[in-house]
Amino acid sequence: MTKKFINQTINQHYISQAEQRLNAINPDAKPSKQRIYSFNIVNRESFKIELENDNGRLIENNLSIFDLYSFDVDDESKKLRYNFELLFNKYESNIIMHTKSLLKKIDNRNKDILNELFNIFILKTLNSLRNPFCIKKTINTLKPILQYIPTDKKYQGIYRKIINGEAKHLNYLYNLLDVSEEQYKLWLKGLFMLLIEFEHKGEKINMLESLARNIYENKDNYKTITINCYDDHSVLLSDRGFNSLEDNINSITEFNLNSSSFVIYSFTNLNKFAETQGWTSDYHNKVIERCKEVQGNIIHVYYDRNNIELLNQYNKRTIYQAHSHVYSAKKLWR
């Protein structure tokens, strides 16, 4: 079990290389040669960005931080490091396959795309939680599981390493990410609790996948997914990896799929919607319950092509919500 947490990778990506390669300037080049354009955010209020280098950045060195997820490092050998790289790879390794399959099915008017959309949602959700510029937000999101410790003995040794492991690089990370030691270790603890497997109804699952399923299967939510594709325009990729739009009723999250497409996952809480409409009568309650019964696990999927207004809105939100950089396969985002 310990082997799942041992990996020698030092340069640890928080937006996977696989996802960046879907946005590469030169997607047909060898992986070691693939590049992506990087833009510094000059003024997020006016959506002004500035190209950093005409040649772009090498993807294998981009959107990564040394030992970001390493919680115990052997300083003598510099080789033995405990981290989450192999657990992340379980989801990263299939993102290109699922994305290309989704977009190919759309082109072929094949409506059997819910499996791809669900698997993409899991990885993108993991991205939002493991992003180093969202640590405080993630801690707040994961509060319900941070009070627990693993009861399975095979995980307890790893858990203790997260709390007490030897890692002299951590002071550097605290300063870089503007977090305290307590916040950083709470974040790693939350990721650990999300990713370890447990038995549920005869199958192995983790809290990350359980969380995604609960969102998908919650009958209180009206679920809509919109896929937006473009023939000759650039879809930006954020250093946070997602855009979020939330209010009391709706939870909407946008993700880059590749250089020419993005997806919107929207969940509307029917109970809260009814409250805002002043629906308090027995009749209206029955309407809402009937809606839940009929909708059940239905997910409404829509497809839009070359809707420039939606793209402009998405790209502006990406610039506004990014930490400091956005990325693209093209030099112009408009």
Side-chain angles (χ1 to χ4, degrees), residues 287-333:
V287 170
I288 290 297
E289 291 306 313
R290 178 58 178 162
C291 185
K292 294 179 188 178
E293 181 182 336
V294 172
Q295 295 299 321
N297 292 334
I298 293 175
I299 298 173
H300 302 269
V301 180
Y302 301 96
Y303 170 65
D304 208 344
R305 192 166 198 93
N306 292 325
N307 187 325
I308 305 306
E309 181 180 352
L310 277 182
L311 177 63
N312 283 334
Q313 291 172 3
Y314 165 86
N315 279 340
K316 285 180 178 180
R317 280 192 292 268
T318 301
I319 293 169
Y320 190 82
Q321 295 189 24
H323 174 68
S324 60
H325 291 81
V326 293
Y327 302 86
S328 175
K330 296 184 178 181
K331 292 183 180 180
L332 297 176
W333 68 274

Side-chain angles (χ1 to χ4, degrees), residues 214-237:
N214 287 340
I215 294 173
Y216 257 62
E217 297 173 2
N218 187 345
K219 291 187 177 182
D220 288 346
N221 288 336
Y222 184 89
K223 299 168 277 286
T224 304
I225 301 175
T226 306
I227 304 138
N228 302 273
C229 299
Y230 299 88
D231 293 323
D232 193 34
H233 290 82
S234 179
V235 175
L236 295 179
L237 173 68

Side-chain angles (χ1 to χ4, degrees), residues 21 23 55 69 141 148 170 180 187 201-202 205 234 257 288:
R21 296 190 196 289
N23 291 270
N55 296 320
Y69 306 107
T141 300
Y148 300 118
L170 292 183
S180 66
W187 178 55
K201 296 181 180 179
I205 194 171
S234 179
L257 286 174
I288 290 297

Side-chain angles (χ1 to χ4, degrees), residues 23-220:
N23 291 270
I25 301 166
N26 51 343
D28 296 326
K30 293 180 180 179
S32 61
K33 301 292 185 182
Q34 288 181 348
R35 309 181 77 90
I36 190 170
Y37 288 122
S38 172
F39 299 85
N40 180 49
I41 297 174
V42 178
N43 187 324
R44 68 183 71 243
E45 299 293 337
S46 61
F47 313 110
K48 183 179 180 181
I49 60 178
E50 184 176 72
L51 181 66
E52 289 192 320
N53 189 314
D54 282 333
N55 296 320
R57 285 187 180 181
L58 281 173
I59 285 173
E60 64 181 10
N61 297 324
N62 191 45
L63 291 167
S64 62
I65 296 174
F66 283 176
D67 276 322
L68 175 60
Y69 306 107
S70 295
F71 49 86
D72 190 59
V73 179
D74 184 336
D75 284 324
E76 291 186 8
S77 69
K78 297 292 183 182
K79 292 181 179 180
L80 184 63
R81 32 188 20 96
Y82 287 81
N83 54 51
F84 301 130
E85 286 292 291
L86 293 179
L87 296 183
F88 291 156
N89 184 254
K90 171 185 174 182
Y91 300 99
E92 294 174 355
S93 61
N94 292 322
I95 189 62
I96 291 179
M97 176 187 71
H98 289 307
T99 301
K100 289 187 174 181
S101 175
L102 170 67
L103 297 176
K104 183 177 180 179
K105 284 183 177 181
I106 288 173
D107 285 341
N108 293 333
R109 301 184 182 278
N110 183 341
K111 296 181 180 180
D112 182 23
I113 56 177
L114 290 182
N115 180 62
E116 286 87 352
L117 286 169
F118 180 69
N119 281 287
I120 289 170
F121 181 72
I122 291 176
L123 173 65
K124 301 294 189 178
T125 299
L126 174 59
N127 275 357
S128 68
L129 296 171
R130 76 177 191 176
N131 190 282
F133 307 121
C134 302
I135 289 178
K136 294 171 186 176
K137 182 178 185 296
T138 296
I139 291 172
N140 188 57
T141 300
L142 299 182
K143 268 184 182 178
I145 69 173
L146 289 174
Q147 60 185 307
Y148 300 118
I149 62 174
T151 56
D152 195 325
K153 289 183 179 180
K154 65 186 177 185
Y155 292 125
Q156 290 176 355
I158 299 297
Y159 178 81
R160 286 192 291 271
K161 285 183 179 295
I162 292 174
I163 305 303
N164 302 312
E166 293 293 329
K168 293 182 179 179
H169 68 283
L170 292 183
N171 286 331
Y172 153 76
L173 286 179
Y174 304 152
N175 292 328
L176 177 67
L177 304 176
D178 189 29
V179 294
S180 66
E181 178 180 355
E182 179 185 13
Q183 288 171 326
Y184 177 78
K185 291 195 173 184
L186 274 175
W187 178 55
L188 291 187
K189 177 184 173 183
L191 293 176
F192 174 74
M193 295 302 293
L194 271 179
L195 294 169
I196 59 175
E197 292 181 333
F198 58 90
E199 291 282 341
H200 178 69
K201 296 181 180 179
E203 66 174 323
K204 288 186 177 181
I205 194 171
N206 58 33
M207 287 191 184
L208 172 66
E209 293 171 16
S210 179
L211 172 66
R213 285 187 185 181
N214 287 340
I215 294 173
Y216 257 62
E217 297 173 2
N218 187 345
K219 291 187 177 182
D220 288 346

Side-chain angles (χ1 to χ4, degrees), residues 239-267:
D239 58 5
R240 289 189 193 272
F242 69 100
N243 301 331
S244 177
L245 299 87
E246 295 186 13
D247 55 33
N248 190 45
I249 304 170
N250 302 292
S251 176
I252 302 171
T253 313
E254 302 174 321
F255 302 108
N256 169 289
L257 286 174
N258 67 6
S259 60
S260 59
S261 61
F262 68 96
V263 61
I264 305 171
Y265 292 84
S266 177
F267 304 94

